[in-house]
Structures are given as structure tokens and as C-alpha cells.
Amino acid sequence: MNNGSWPCSRERLVYSSQSFHSRIVAKGMQLLYRGADPIVLQHPCGNNFVGGISPAIYLGEKVFLSFDGFESSLLPFTIPTTLATAPALVSSAIFVQATRIVLAINGKVFIYFYEPFDSWKQSEGINSPVTEITNSGCCYAPSDPNCNHIGSFVLAYDKGNLISDSHIFFSEDGGYKFHALPMIPFLSGTLVSIYNFISITKLGFLISNTEANMTTANFLYYSIENLYSYYGTQFDSNEVGELMITVPPGLRGFVILWTKNMFLLSSNNGVTTENVAVFPTEDYPNTSLPLHNQGVCNVATTSSEVAALTKNQKLFYGSLDIVFSKMVLIGDRNSSKISTHCDVLMFDKTGLLTILNPVPSNESGFYNFHKCIINLQDRLMNVRPHLPPCPVEILSSDFHNKMYYIDMKQQLHFNVTFVPKPGSAAFPYVTLSNPQILGFQARIMQDGYTYDGNIKFSLQIILLQQYVSDMAEAELYEKGISAGISTLTVDIYNKGIFCIDMHPLTALIAMQCPPTKHIRPFKNTTACNKGLFNRTNLQDSFSYIIKQDVYDPEFLGRQHLDQKDRNVTYPYELLGCPILLYYDNPWLPTLELWENDKFVEYVSADFVLFETNGMHNYDYLLTASEAKCISQPQNWSTMFEWQLQPDPHTAWSRKNYKSCKVPSQVRPLESPSIKYQILNLNEENRVVFSQYNGIYVFKVIVVDTIYSYCELSTLLSVYVHGALPKSQINVAGMLIGILILIFGSILMGYFFPKLLHLSENAKMKSL
């Protein structure tokens, strides 16, 4: 088709025969969109789907769900009549992971599962009407558990109310169950929107306030975990009720805000905003977008591009560049027909923009789709005067669109290949979305020549934890050593709009626990190796007895309890063969750190242990003074005091550990003779056992706060042997008896001769 209305590179009416129709069928009540203008929402992770075509939902007078980029005829999307009453009005929708859509319909939240089966479910936990739903899609590593958690964090709320009266709900399981978000007492103003800005590890509340007939808006950034908040800069927004917000995919920090009278761009999650300017051309000599009743009515984005359509039928295009915020007119609609609705924009892929309109079929209830595909590169080449050419030929790296982890005190090293065009003087720049937690060092150096003889450069980047980087003021990073997420972006400074195919290089950097990092006990000598146990017997439901006087089921170390001996089944699959120990040798467990099934190092960090069956007939070698403590050390007793029910699995961790080697006015060293219960590979403290032969099963917990973001723990078993059975003889009684015998012998030795002499004298007298 070619009706000449838009400057289309290709124009066609998409339809399909019944055998190729979408699998979405009409079975219930048709959904309607309550917004003023129709929009298309695309799944943010298009590259992760087959063919790079992501699911998309069209929200307009009818709602359509497509899995092939609207390349087949569709029936209107419906909801079962048992879940909603007419009219079923959709106010907001999001994609969650690759399996479902979460929609706000008539003030309630529903989940539609399109994979692996077609079904609906109403969300739980929402007890007041909501109209808006937001989340942040993570597309860098779909199989990564932390990336999945990011996309599964969903916010639901009703905008337009005073924030003190607003009900805000959050879900961490992708919309199944919601919880009320604790409100911040010092917030005031009208709630416009809320976003989970994961790249700065904050919730962003967009709030408007009206004073002296002037309405301003700004973001407030709030972290629930550490109660840390700050405000972004204000901007004028008299049409706050009409304010629209778009957060482009990629987690780079871009936010687009617009009404009919403004078009703002932020590259730092709304902390600062700037007006978007326009390149003046022969067709559009102005330097700003149309305003008032001719202003922007629809916006489409990718991770690096933005397109805006205005009410007066003009189409603008720009690139999402942190140091360059200009757009250019690429065409307008050549039609005298006045449209009551704004046309719908969607990006098929980089550089290809589609203007989409559903067309009802005359033969059935299906809708076909009119598509105007615009090749943006071709349109930009026809702009007069010419746009500045792209100043770079190559910008490449292996880290693009991937996710990486940095654990405590670790570094990441990246290399970027960069080839500028001769004479362009272009150079790359590095940005981080969350410099409060992540720092970098970078240097660029010449690295040979290309086949064309152009100079090739290598940009070497080192990423490291800001807390240990020594590169930032103390006020920059947050108090304490907190985990977080940041995006790394490498782009060309002031590269311009013409570099459509020269996209920025972006990676997601998680300062968190790497999912595959764990610890294992080092076993040099086991009871199986020495023939004391047989592996087959241990695997065959082997059990052993713990005497009633050596364990406390509540882990409080109580003795002389009125209880029975405990029969324990040995979990061989979990523990393997126990480590062999001689009871009289002080013992220190050796721990190995592993990642991706590769040995990393021996753990040289503070750790604690407890016997999982409550055994308490062991002690520690050093006292607090012998361990050189300068403040009162923690122990299991003090950690249990903070719990209603003692649970050693949760009582002591890296989150509440305080080293006694650090001075403390709150916890001065008051009991230097108390046993020191913290162990470390590089220190002298050891576990000492009593005169007892038997199996101990210990859980080891790394509590060092600066060793790793991971909650590192493991189980290990030891078999203590060599203790002689305790004698049943009363030592004190035996000693008294011996003394009496000795004393008696002495007396007998002294008096017996005299008695004998007296006896002989008596005999002589009788004779």
C-alpha cells in the first residue's frame, strides 16, 4: 500500500489466513484502554526472544496481544467474565519475565499467563483501587536469579492523590502477591508515579507540589533497607495531571517526561532533567518541539533511541545520549484529515520505526494491521542541511549486554576497541549509573591500525568497589558497605543522531553475591580413609547416639537436663565422610572458597560455628584478652538475646557481626576472661574437645563483614576419637581409703612391736 500520508519506506496492510491467526482467542469480555491516546507496550527484552521479536500489547479502543510483531490478524484481547465487569478498562500493563502480563483493570490487578498456558489469575494482597503498575525489566541475563528478581519486583498504586493518602503496594514474585509499602512519614505532595530505579538501588517517587499557582515536580529517592533518601531537582509541570513518563529499557538511567507543553530528558533517573532541543532544518526551522495543542502525544523508545509524535502530525527522532539531547524532524503526515487520536509508534529493531493502526476486517471479527515502516537511516540522509556524520567507525567490546558480579574488594577488567574516523577527534567516555557504590579507572592507548590504515585505540577499564577505591569523597558513597547495582556505559562523546548503528556499549554490574560462590570444608584426613567407618554403612541410614548430658535441644548450652539420649541419622549425601580428629588436639576448620565449580582460595575471614544437634561439650582455646580484643566480643549467648526463640541459623551473620578488634564505647571490654568464639585461619583460636568419642555435625557461618556479600555457610562433620572411657571409681573416696591404710600401717608399725613386747613380758610373769 502507498497512500502518501507518511514518508514510509514500506507501507502495507498485514493480514493472515485463519490457519496463521494468533493463538489468542475471544473468550470473555473485551478489554478497553482508558488512556486518551493508544500506545504499544513491547517486552523490553526483545533480543532474548526467537528472531528478536518480543511480545507486544496494543492498548487502544481495542486491546491486542501479539507475539510476532503484529504480523498476523488478531482478535481483541479479552478477560473472563468471572473476573471483571463491563466495561473492562485497562489503565496500565507491564510484561514480567517471559511468561506473563500484569494488568490494572477496573482498579484491580490481574495476571495473564501466555506461557506455558493461557490462563488468568487475580493478584492477592491489594485491598484498595490501583490504576498504575510499574517494574524494571532486566534483559542482561535472563537465567540469572538476581536479574529475574529485578524484573519480578512490581509496584502498584493509584496516582493523583496526596501521597499521605495513597496506597502503594509491592510484589517480589512478579505480581502473585502484593504487600503494602511502608509509607515515608515526611513525604508531602501529590503522587504522580513510582519507579524502581534499580540502577541506583532506590525507589523513585515523582511528587508534585503547588505553591502560588505554580506547580513543580521532582523525584524523591528512597531506600527501604537503609532509610536513605534525597531529592532530585525540580521542574515546572503545570499540567501534572497530563504528565506522561517513559522509562526506556536497558536500566541505563534514562527517563522521558512530557506533556503538551514540555518534553524533558533525564539521563540519571530523574535526578536532573533538561529540555530536548531540535536541530533546525529546511522543513522545521524551529529549535524546540511544538507546544500547547500541537505538542507531543506519543513516544516510543529503545535502549538507545527515542521517537516522538506530535498532535500536529510531526515525527521527531533522536538518540539517547548522556551529553547530547537533540532531536530532528524526519517527516510529517501529508494529510488534511484531522485525526482524533494520536498514531501509535513502535520500534521493530534499531533504526526501523513503525506507525501502527488496527483495521477491522469486513469478513470476520479479526483485526488486520496497517503498518508504515520508516527506515530512519534513509530519512536522516535526506535531512537538509545535512546532519554531522558519525565520527566513529568501530566501537566494540565483549561485555555489551551482559551481566557481571563484583564481590567485596574485587575488580573487573574490560577492554573496548575504538576506531575514530580520521580527523574527527572523537573519543569514548565511561559513565556509571550508580557512582555511590561503584568506581572506575580508565585509560586509552593506541593499539595498532586497521586494514584501512586508521588508528585503532584500546580503552582499558577497571571497575572496583567505591568504598575501597580511594577515588571519591566520603560523602559520595553511602554509609556502610552496602550492595547494589549499576550500569556501565561506554559511548562516543557528542556522536550525534546519525550514529544509529553505533549503539552504546552497556553492561549490568551487580555488587552482590555471585550466585555460584560458596564455601566447602577442606578434608585432609577422614574417618573413612583410616578405616574407622565404611562409606557403604554411612550411606545405609547410619545412626548414632548422643548422650543426654552433652546436648541441649534449644542450643543454650544447658546441662543436667531431664531428657533422653538422642538418636541421630547421619546424612551422608550432605556431609560425606566425617573429618577424623584426635580429642586432645585443638582444631581449626579449614574452609575453601569456590565459584563456578573452581577453587578460588582458602577463606581467611572471621567465622563462627555451632553443633547442629545442640551438642555443647566443646570449648574454645583463647579468652577475649588472649585474642587481643579491645571491645567486648560477641558470643552465641549475646546473639541469642536478640531473638525471641533462639535460632543459631539466623542469630549470627555478617549483617550483625561486630569485631572485638575495633574499639567501641558501647561495648567496652568488661570480661577479658570470657571465651572468644570467633575463628579465623590467620589467628590462634581453636576448638577444644572434652573427653568424648563421637560424631559432631557443625554449621560454619562466615560473619566477616568485608569478606563477601554472600551469606557463606556450610556443614561439616567430624569424628572425635582417642578419649579413654571415664573411670567409675570415686577418686576422692579411694584417696581417703589409701590415706587411712597408710596411716593405719604407720600406727601398726609403731604399736605392734610394743604390743608384742608387752605380750612377751606377760608370758614371762605367768611362768
Side-chain angles (χ1 to χ4, degrees), residues 435-437 466-469 472-480:
Q436 293 176 322
I437 64 167
Q466 190 69 275
Y467 190 82
V468 297
S469 68
E473 296 292 335
E475 294 80 10
L476 178 62
Y477 45 78
E478 296 180 18
K479 184 179 180 180

Side-chain angles (χ1 to χ4, degrees), residues 313 333-339:
Q313 311 291 316
R333 187 172 186 177
N334 184 19
S335 174
S336 58
K337 180 181 178 181
I338 299 176
S339 177

Side-chain angles (χ1 to χ4, degrees), residues 9 16 42 46 57 75 163 231 241 339 380 508 543 630 632 646 664 757 761 767:
S9 303
S16 58
Q42 296 173 275
I57 184 168
L75 288 171
I163 193 165
Y231 285 92
S339 177
L380 292 177
L508 187 67
S543 62
I630 57 178
Q632 191 69 15
S664 173
H757 180 68
N761 288 339
L767 290 175

Side-chain angles (χ1 to χ4, degrees), residues 36-38 61 311 313 337-342:
D37 294 300
E61 292 182 355
K311 284 285 189 181
Q313 311 291 316
K337 180 181 178 181
I338 299 176
S339 177
T340 57
H341 295 295
C342 195

Side-chain angles (χ1 to χ4, degrees), residues 150-170:
I150 292 171
S152 298
F153 187 88
V154 180
L155 290 162
Y157 56 96
D158 186 16
K159 69 177 184 179
N161 300 319
L162 291 176
I163 193 165
S164 57
D165 299 331
S166 298
H167 297 278
I168 305 169
F169 304 92
F170 72 95

Side-chain angles (χ1 to χ4, degrees), residues 555-557 588 606-610 616 618-624 627 629 633-640 652 657 660 674-680 683 685-687 701 703:
F555 301 96
L556 297 176
L588 177 69
D606 292 348
F607 64 91
V608 297
L609 55 77
F610 68 92
H616 49 66
Y618 61 92
D619 208 343
Y620 297 85
L621 183 64
L622 300 183
T623 63
C629 289
Q634 295 172 321
N635 57 38
W636 284 109
S637 297
T638 59
M639 303 313 292
F640 284 152
W652 209 346
Y657 174 62
C660 72
I674 193 173
K675 286 294 186 178
Y676 182 62
Q677 297 184 354
I678 294 94
L679 303 168
N680 191 303
E683 296 183 1
N685 199 22
R686 299 289 187 273
V687 176
I701 304 171
V703 295

Side-chain angles (χ1 to χ4, degrees), residues 301-313:
T301 64
T302 67
S303 60
S304 59
E305 302 170 283
V306 57
L309 187 62
T310 62
K311 284 285 189 181
N312 62 345
Q313 311 291 316

